[in-house]
Amino acid sequence: MMSHIEELLEKYWEGETSLSEEKELRKLILEAEGYEKEKELFAALGHFKSLEPQNLSIPKGKTRRLIPQWTRWAASVAILLGTYRGWSVYEQKQAEEQAYQEVMQALAMIQTNLSKGQQQLQPLNDLKYLNTTNQLFQLNQKQTQ
């Protein structure tokens, strides 16, 4: 029985007992010999329990507010201003991203059209290797014949 009391006491001091185990512990300690400090503790706890007020009622009257009304309004305004500022920064970043994407598309279109233009100029590139105009005309005469 002593070992059971010791076990329950250890659990009690660790805060691991259930309510039923605490009731059992109180009963066992009051019946057992020794454990004077624990008997005093449980007697004091029982005395404190009897001092608990039974019927509490909160008086109705003017309650004092802990936070003044103007600080609530100021906090609301601060939250709204912070939200507006955050939203405007977000919108600006989105506009910058969209402008960047449009510029990149325009540059890609310019590059594509430049490449097409270079391909169309390829026949003129062949003319630079002719030494004289006679060669040009001789080439044309051979083609007509």
Side-chain angles (χ1 to χ4, degrees):
M1 181 157 158
M2 291 292 211
S3 64
H4 184 63
I5 293 175
E6 293 292 329
E7 188 179 303
L8 284 175
L9 275 174
E10 187 175 327
K11 283 178 71 176
Y12 181 79
W13 294 124
E14 294 294 322
E16 298 173 351
T17 56
S18 65
L19 291 176
S20 62
E21 289 175 330
E22 288 180 20
K23 286 179 184 179
E24 180 184 355
L25 177 63
R26 285 184 189 138
K27 181 181 174 187
L28 289 175
I29 285 195
L30 291 176
E31 293 173 356
E33 293 181 11
Y35 301 106
E36 297 303 322
K37 289 184 181 180
E38 288 80 3
K39 286 181 182 180
E40 289 177 19
L41 172 71
F42 288 127
L45 290 176
H47 176 69
F48 287 137
K49 188 169 185 163
S50 68
L51 295 178
E52 275 186 15
Q54 299 300 325
N55 295 324
L56 285 180
S57 63
I58 299 174
K60 293 183 180 179
K62 187 175 182 180
T63 58
R64 184 174 163 230
R65 292 187 178 170
L66 298 177
I67 302 174
Q69 186 68 27
W70 67 270
T71 56
R72 294 178 186 172
W73 284 101
S76 298
V77 169
I79 289 171
L80 287 174
L81 289 176
T83 303
Y84 173 75
R85 176 68 179 142
W87 183 258
S88 63
V89 167
Y90 172 76
E91 288 292 323
Q92 182 179 3
K93 295 283 185 189
Q94 291 295 328
E96 289 174 1
E97 179 68 25
Q98 184 179 2
Y100 173 76
Q101 292 297 330
E102 289 175 2
V103 166
M104 293 307 289
Q105 287 175 353
L107 289 174
M109 186 174 67
I110 289 171
Q111 183 180 8
T112 303
N113 289 337
L114 183 63
S115 174
K116 287 179 185 176
Q118 286 177 343
Q119 288 174 356
Q120 290 175 356
L121 290 177
Q122 188 63 34
L124 290 178
N125 223 5
D126 294 337
L127 292 178
K128 74 179 180 181
Y129 296 111
L130 296 176
N131 291 333
T132 63
T133 55
N134 289 336
Q135 289 177 339
L136 178 64
F137 289 117
Q138 288 174 358
L139 182 65
N140 283 338
Q141 290 174 356
K142 291 180 183 177
Q143 289 178 353
T144 56
Q145 294 177 354

